[in-house]
Amino acid sequence: MSGNPRGGGVAGTPETAGTRSGTGAPSGAEHRATGTPKAVGVAWALLGLNTLGSAGAKTVVPLPRSLIQMATMGALLTAFALALALNLGLRVRPSAFVFLLTLLLVPSVISSANLEVGYGALFRCARLTLFVGTLWLLSRWWDDSLTFVRHHIRMYFAVLVLVAAGLVVAPGTALPEYYGGRLVGALWPLTPPQIGQYAAVVIGLTVLLLLGRRTTGRSAAVVIVPALVLLALTHTRTATVGLLAGLTLAIGSLILTSAAARRFFAWTVLCATVAAVVFSSAVQAWFLRGQDQESLSNLTGRAKVWDALLAAPRSAGEKVFGVGLSDKSFGGLPIDNSWLAVYHEQGLLGVTVVALVMVTLGGVALLRPPSLERACAIFLISYCAISSYTEAGLGDASPYLLHLALAAALLAVPAAAPPPTAAAAPGRRIPRWARR
C-alpha cells in the first residue's frame, strides 16, 4: 500500500487516505492490505488466560490461590494496556454484542454496590469492565476474517498441551479419584468441564477450517486427534453434546454451498450410526460415568440447587438487579446454569440483556449468506447456548463470553471502502510543432 504514514496508524503501518469509513473503523480493503497486528493475537490470548479461573483441581506443585489470581488479573490488565497501545485513537467498530455487554454492567454495578456478597463483587465488576473495554478496543480489527479463529485455536490448544503435559508428568494427579478418574489440570488447576470445553471448541473450529480448505489435513490431525483424546478422558457430557450439535448446525449451514461439507456430513452420519450399533454399551457406560438413573435425572444434584435458588425469598430490588457478582454458587454449591446464575447475580434485567445477546447473535448469523465464517459463528453460538444449561459464565468475564465475542467478530461486516475519487482530467495535448 502506498502513501505516507499517518500519525493514527497501527504500529507504524502505512495508511492511505480515504480508506476509513465515517465511523472511524478501518475498511475491509485496508484490513486485507495491512493485516492485523500480531500483538492483537497476544491481547486475545491474555484475555483467554484471564478466564482460565483460579479454582479447580489439585496440582502437582500447589499454587496459592492469590498467586493464580495475580496472574489472571495481571493478564487482563496487560491485555487492556496492549489493546489501548494498539488503538490510541480509540477507533472502535460499532458492535451490538459489545454494546449489550456494556449494558450488562448496569445491573452488575447496581447490585454489587450493596455489598451483599462482599467486596469481591466490586472486584468482579472491575474485572468485567476491563474485559468489555478490551473487547471494544479490539473490535477495530473485527472484519469477518478467520484471523481471530486462528488466535482462538492456538490459545486453547496451548492450554490443552499444558493439560497433556500434566497427564504425562503426573498421571495420578491428572486422573484423581475425587473426580471419578476424570482428567483434570495437574500443572494448572483446571476442572474436567473446563478442559472438555476447550477441547470441544478447538475440535469444532479446526474441523470447520479443514472443510473450508483453510488448513491441511496433517495440521488438522495434529490438533484434532489429541484434543479428542483429552475430551474423552474428561468424560464431559455437556462438551460432547455441544460439540456434536454445534458441528451439525454449522456443517448444515454449508451443505448447500460446499461439496466437502456434504461429503463430511454423509460420512459422519454413516460412521456415527455404525459406532452407535457396534459400541452402544461402551458409549452408554461412558455417558453414564457410573451414575444411576436418579443421579442422571437430577443432573448430578444440580436440579436440587436450582430448586433451592428459585425458592429463596428475594426483595423487589434483588429480583430486578440481583445480589451482585459472586463466585457462581448458592448455599455453598455451584449453580452450574448460566441463566439462573445471571438471575441470582444480575436479576431479571441481566437475564434480559443476556437473552438479547444470544438472540442478536443468532439472528445475525441466520441473516448472513452461507460462508465459512458464518459456520464458525453458528458453531460457537450453538455450543454456548447448549452449555448454558449446565455451565455458568454468560453473565461475567468467562470463556463463554470470549467464544461469543469471536462469533461477533466473525459476523461483523467490513466497512465498505469509499468510491475512488475521479481522476483529474488530462490536459489538452500540445502538438509537437508547438512544443518545438
Side-chain angles (χ1 to χ4, degrees):
M1 182 178 289
S2 60
N4 297 327
R6 295 166 55 183
V10 180
T13 303
E15 296 178 353
T16 301
T19 59
R20 295 191 175 276
S21 63
T23 61
S27 67
E30 179 187 359
H31 274 302
R32 286 160 177 76
T34 62
T36 304
K38 292 183 179 180
V40 171
V42 177
W44 193 262
L46 291 172
L47 284 180
L49 175 58
N50 173 255
T51 61
L52 290 184
S54 58
K58 298 178 181 178
T59 55
V60 177
V61 179
L63 300 175
R65 182 180 175 86
S66 58
L67 178 62
I68 298 176
Q69 288 179 332
M70 287 178 58
T72 54
M73 279 306 299
L76 178 58
L77 291 172
T78 306
F80 180 79
L82 184 58
L84 184 60
L86 293 170
N87 193 1
L88 289 176
L90 301 181
R91 288 185 287 270
V92 299
R93 183 176 298 279
S95 171
F97 169 75
V98 190
F99 174 73
L100 289 172
L101 289 188
T102 306
L103 287 183
L104 188 62
L105 292 173
V106 176
S108 303
V109 173
I110 293 176
S111 59
S112 299
N114 295 327
L115 299 179
E116 185 172 339
V117 294
Y119 287 97
L122 297 179
F123 174 82
R124 294 182 181 94
C125 279
R127 175 174 175 247
L128 180 59
T129 303
L130 284 175
F131 188 87
V132 175
T134 306
L135 291 180
W136 271 122
L137 293 171
L138 294 179
S139 67
R140 176 183 179 180
W141 292 278
W142 293 1
D143 61 347
D144 88 333
S145 70
L146 297 172
T147 302
F148 283 89
V149 173
R150 300 185 187 280
H151 292 328
H152 215 66
I153 293 175
R154 294 189 190 106
M155 171 181 63
Y156 284 121
F157 187 70
V159 177
L160 295 179
V161 169
L162 184 65
V163 173
L167 178 62
V168 173
V169 171
T173 305
L175 300 170
E177 289 297 330
Y178 59 85
Y179 263 116
R182 300 170 64 191
L183 180 64
V184 301
L187 300 180
W188 184 276
L190 295 173
T191 60
Q194 287 178 287
I195 300 173
Q197 175 196 164
Y198 305 150
V201 169
V202 165
I203 293 169
L205 293 177
T206 306
V207 167
L208 293 175
L209 288 183
L210 181 62
L211 291 179
R213 298 181 179 179
R214 303 300 178 89
T215 186
T216 63
R218 180 177 300 179
S219 299
V222 170
V223 174
I224 293 174
V225 173
L228 277 173
V229 173
L230 296 181
L231 175 60
L233 291 176
T234 62
H235 284 248
T236 306
R237 294 176 292 222
T238 300
T240 304
V241 173
L243 170 63
L244 297 177
L247 273 181
T248 300
L249 294 175
I251 296 174
S253 70
L254 293 172
I255 284 181
L256 296 179
T257 58
S258 172
R262 290 192 291 270
R263 290 193 298 269
F264 182 86
F265 187 80
W267 278 105
T268 302
V269 171
L270 178 61
C271 293
T273 304
V274 173
V277 174
V278 177
F279 305 105
S280 59
S281 58
V283 172
Q284 184 178 7
W286 182 90
F287 192 82
L288 289 175
R289 293 194 319 226
Q291 298 174 341
D292 53 19
Q293 292 297 331
E294 181 180 358
S295 298
L296 186 62
S297 61
N298 62 26
L299 299 173
T300 321
R302 290 185 177 95
K304 297 179 180 179
V305 180
W306 299 346
D307 293 340
L309 186 149
L310 293 173
R314 296 175 184 271
S315 63
E318 290 175 346
K319 289 181 179 179
V320 176
F321 299 107
V323 301
L325 297 183
S326 65
D327 58 354
K328 310 297 178 289
S329 66
F330 180 80
L333 297 174
I335 297 175
D336 285 340
N337 181 288
S338 286
W339 302 99
L340 291 179
V342 172
Y343 171 68
H344 177 63
E345 297 182 351
Q346 292 136 311
L348 294 174
L349 183 58
V351 172
T352 302
V353 173
V354 172
L356 286 175
V357 168
M358 301 299 294
V359 171
T360 301
L361 288 176
V364 172
L366 292 177
L367 294 176
R368 290 284 185 269
S371 66
L372 180 58
E373 292 80 8
R374 174 189 183 232
C376 291
I378 289 175
F379 167 74
L380 292 167
I381 297 168
S382 305
Y383 182 87
C384 292
I386 293 171
S387 300
S388 67
Y389 184 65
T390 57
E391 297 290 337
L394 289 183
D396 204 349
S398 69
Y400 292 106
L401 281 192
L402 203 58
H403 300 333
L404 294 179
L406 175 58
L410 291 167
L411 296 174
V413 177
T421 57
R428 195 169 66 176
R429 182 176 178 273
I430 301 175
R432 182 177 300 176
W433 62 267
R435 289 199 299 268
R436 290 177 182 173

